[in-house]
Amino acid sequence: MDKYTIVIPTLWKSNRINKLLFDLIKCEYVDEIILIDNGGKFFEYFEALDKVKLVQTSENIYVNPAWNLGIKLAKNNCIALLNDDINFDPNIFGVITEDVLFQFGIIGMGEGNYKEPIDEDRGPYIDVWRPGINDWGWGCFIMLYKKHWIDIPENIKIWYGDNFIKDINPTPKGIFSIS
């Protein structure tokens, strides 16, 4: 069974992060959760949680450098970059296997996943991402095969990291949709 490393940079500590962490901890497909604390505000009990590796920075390194750091620290080939303010069924990691990630390279979430119920007839599917399309939400949940990662340049701190991944990284990309 393929195992995922989850990378979650956080600064403001969304009120959804507790549910997100506990759902990920219970998921059999998640082996490691790298929580990058950009605000220095986490209590030690997060570090004591099963599967959680807390990385506290001395200052805010921002989201894109945190993604780069998390991928360097990850022990698994299957990686998911997550915002701290989303909740979802983590069993999706059982559907997107290492073979699927290797084939598609990098997969972001489609906008409808955050709004629509699952289309029971069609089920989850992956479409090839088309350049020039900005599917809102793509960067909130990105799955990738570790070897396909190219570091985001250090001068891109907050904005456009997901655009760099989609537009500059030559690896094929997909959009995962449930509706």
Side-chain angles (χ1 to χ4, degrees), residues 140-158:
C140 297
F141 186 129
I142 302 171
M143 295 171 281
L144 60 109
Y145 189 73
K146 186 174 182 174
K147 291 181 182 177
H148 292 151
W149 182 255
I150 295 174
D151 277 352
I152 299 170
E154 289 295 318
N155 63 331
I156 303 176
K157 300 280 187 196
I158 302 172

Side-chain angles (χ1 to χ4, degrees), residues 93-138:
F93 299 124
V95 175
I96 308 298
T97 64
E98 188 169 347
D99 290 339
V100 172
L101 282 179
F102 189 79
Q103 175 189 352
F104 278 92
I106 300 172
I107 301 169
M109 282 291 185
E111 180 177 5
N113 294 353
Y114 304 105
K115 302 177 194 176
E116 307 294 330
I118 293 176
D119 180 335
E120 297 295 335
D121 294 329
R122 186 170 185 186
Y125 61 94
I126 301 173
D127 282 329
V128 174
W129 176 77
R130 297 178 315 273
I133 302 297
N134 193 5
D135 193 5
W136 299 107
W138 195 91

Side-chain angles (χ1 to χ4, degrees), residues 59-70:
E59 60 183 10
N60 183 2
I61 63 171
Y62 301 96
V63 68
N64 298 326
W67 283 349
N68 290 338
L69 175 61

Side-chain angles (χ1 to χ4, degrees), residues 1 37 42 47 55 67 86 102 130 140 158 170 178:
M1 174 182 358
D37 181 10
F42 264 114
E47 191 169 31
V55 178
W67 283 349
I86 62 172
F102 189 79
R130 297 178 315 273
C140 297
I158 302 172
I178 61 170

Side-chain angles (χ1 to χ4, degrees), residues 26 122 135 163 168:
K26 290 187 291 187
R122 186 170 185 186
D135 193 5
N163 290 63
I168 305 301

